[in-house]
Amino acid sequence: MSKQSKLILDILENSSTYLSAIEIFQKAREVISNISLGTVYRNLKVLVLKNKIRKLSLNGDKDVFANLKNSHDYLVCKNCGKAFDLHIKNIHKVLSKATKKQFIDYNLTVFFICDDCKKKLVK
Amino acid sequence: MSKQSKLILDILENSSTYLSAIEIFQKAREVISNISLGTVYRNLKVLVLKNKIRKLSLNGDKDVFANLKNSHDYLVCKNCGKAFDLHIKNIHKVLSKATKKQFIDYNLTVFFICDDCKKKLVK
DNA sequence: TTAACTGCAAATCTTTTGCACAATC
DNA sequence: GATTGTGCAAAAGATTTGCAGTTAA
């Protein structure tokens, strides 16, 4: 594991929210000033495959990445794309049952219209 | 609603699986020979916003689109990206409860390693 | 006539990749 | 010394957008 890879994992471990590849790249540059974006992408891919981090496609624009401790369930506004943590009770148990315990990870995105957008849309 | 928009919706309504923008474009060309890819993307975006179709990011490579009747739950191989339909019982009820009935739609992707890949990875 | 929609092509944005060099075992 | 990983820059893919022309209320 290179120092670049360690740094990327560390950035995600210490983030309470998901980050895009470019955000990770920018944070990484503060430590290793010449780290390249290609290296960030390469390591993110490896870390996802090793199941050390998760890749999320919340609204499809671009992928974001998160550590395994953070929320797995998101409530996303269909209008503005803002995302909120959601905690679905027992979902782990439900998925274990449905997949006969063979699942590794999951992404759950639930769409709604947030209050701000509801107001705007009424106008 | 333009004939282009109707056609795109029609293609998805009559598909038993999800399709990428380019696949939809190719099918659309068989009917409207000069329809453009830009128009396909523009209309897909509108149809998603109107909640007539769903956008999925199954493995993050590119987005795919599906009608509302098809499966909402997918089992995706983390290694090869192959996707299978999954049917989680009562998920609608669980999400209703968790979001106080304010949800419009959801995407659930569960990751695993398919049998083919398990064999390959053992080698 | 005017507002909404289209085809086309260029632009943008995200992600991947080839290559020469550096780090690590 | 061989393998693996890196920085850089170019390439590839997906998606968006500006614009002039069409369509249709």
Side-chain angles (χ1 to χ4, degrees):
Chain A
M1 219 178 169
S2 68
K3 64 175 181 178
Q4 288 86 345
S5 178
K6 271 187 205 121
L7 173 59
I8 290 166
L9 182 56
D10 190 60
I11 287 169
L12 282 171
E13 292 288 342
N14 289 296
S15 171
S16 62
T17 183
Y18 50 82
L19 299 172
S20 67
I22 291 177
E23 287 167 336
I24 294 165
F25 170 62
Q26 288 164 343
K27 282 178 191 286
R29 281 240 145 164
E30 294 169 12
V31 181
I32 300 176
S33 62
N34 70 331
I35 192 173
S36 75
L37 188 53
T39 294
V40 171
Y41 273 107
R42 265 188 291 241
N43 280 299
L44 285 171
K45 192 161 239 181
V46 173
L47 289 169
V48 168
L49 212 64
K50 285 187 182 169
N51 218 47
K52 304 246 182 165
I53 62 174
R54 287 180 299 128
K55 178 165 85 165
L56 312 172
S57 307
L58 291 186
N59 48 16
D61 282 13
K62 63 183 150 193
D63 292 331
V64 291
F65 300 85
N67 65 50
L68 300 180
K69 294 170 297 185
N70 288 353
S71 174
H72 278 55
D73 313 326
Y74 295 92
L75 191 60
V76 175
C77 176
K78 195 151 190 166
N79 196 57
C80 69
K82 223 179 292 168
F84 306 85
D85 285 359
L86 190 65
H87 290 284
I88 307 288
K89 268 187 209 164
N90 295 326
I91 182 103
H92 220 271
K93 202 181 289 180
V94 171
L95 297 182
S96 271
K97 203 173 178 183
T99 66
K100 292 166 193 163
K101 295 189 181 177
Q102 61 177 338
F103 86 101
I104 296 171
D105 191 23
Y106 75 94
N107 291 338
L108 174 57
T109 312
V110 185
F111 296 99
F112 82 132
I113 303 290
C114 73
D115 286 346
D116 283 357
C117 285
K118 262 183 200 157
K119 284 175 200 160
K120 281 177 203 160
L121 293 174
V122 167
K123 280 178 190 171
Chain B
M1 219 178 170
S2 68
K3 64 176 178 178
Q4 286 86 347
S5 177
K6 270 188 205 120
L7 173 59
I8 290 166
L9 181 56
D10 191 59
I11 286 168
L12 282 171
E13 293 288 341
N14 290 296
S15 172
S16 62
T17 182
Y18 51 81
L19 298 171
S20 67
I22 290 176
E23 287 167 336
I24 294 165
F25 170 63
Q26 287 163 342
K27 282 178 191 286
R29 281 240 146 165
E30 293 169 12
V31 181
I32 301 177
S33 62
N34 69 332
I35 193 173
S36 74
L37 188 53
T39 294
V40 170
Y41 273 108
R42 265 187 292 241
N43 280 299
L44 286 171
K45 193 161 237 183
V46 173
L47 289 169
V48 168
L49 212 64
K50 285 186 180 169
N51 218 48
K52 305 248 182 164
I53 61 173
R54 287 180 299 128
K55 179 165 83 166
L56 312 173
S57 307
L58 291 185
N59 47 15
D61 282 12
K62 63 183 153 193
D63 292 331
V64 292
F65 300 85
N67 66 48
L68 301 181
K69 293 169 297 184
N70 288 354
S71 174
H72 279 54
D73 313 326
Y74 295 92
L75 191 61
V76 175
C77 176
K78 195 151 191 165
N79 195 58
C80 69
K82 225 180 290 167
F84 305 85
D85 285 358
L86 190 66
H87 290 284
I88 307 287
K89 268 188 208 164
N90 296 326
I91 182 104
H92 220 270
K93 203 181 285 180
V94 170
L95 297 183
S96 273
K97 204 172 176 183
T99 66
K100 293 167 192 162
K101 295 189 182 178
Q102 60 176 338
F103 86 101
I104 296 170
D105 192 21
Y106 75 93
N107 292 337
L108 173 58
T109 312
V110 184
F111 296 99
F112 81 133
I113 304 288
C114 73
D115 287 346
D116 283 357
C117 286
K118 262 182 201 158
K119 283 175 203 161
K120 282 176 202 159
L121 293 173
V122 168
K123 280 179 192 170

